[in-house]
Amino acid sequence: MAALSDGNLDVRKAAVLALAPWAAAPDVAAALRDALADTDADVRAHAGKALSQR
């Protein structure tokens, strides 16, 4: 989850994708909700998709 705040957008995107299978876990869901405010549209989109599929 720490990688969600990495300076590299590719790292943040990979982190969101890696966390997606565990989106139902409260701590992961909270981190993914925070990612919805990311500066990168892809990171936001992947976070939203992960949260909608939990």
Side-chain angles (χ1 to χ4, degrees):
M1 286 188 286
L4 291 173
S5 60
D6 193 273
N8 184 303
L9 72 95
D10 290 328
V11 171
R12 296 192 311 273
K13 193 181 324 180
V16 168
L17 293 172
L19 289 170
W22 294 278
D27 56 338
V28 174
L32 291 171
R33 280 192 300 274
D34 289 344
L36 293 173
D38 195 273
T39 57
D40 182 72
D42 285 340
V43 173
R44 295 190 306 267
H46 288 302
K49 184 176 179 182
L51 288 166
S52 71
Q53 295 179 346
R54 54 187 177 126

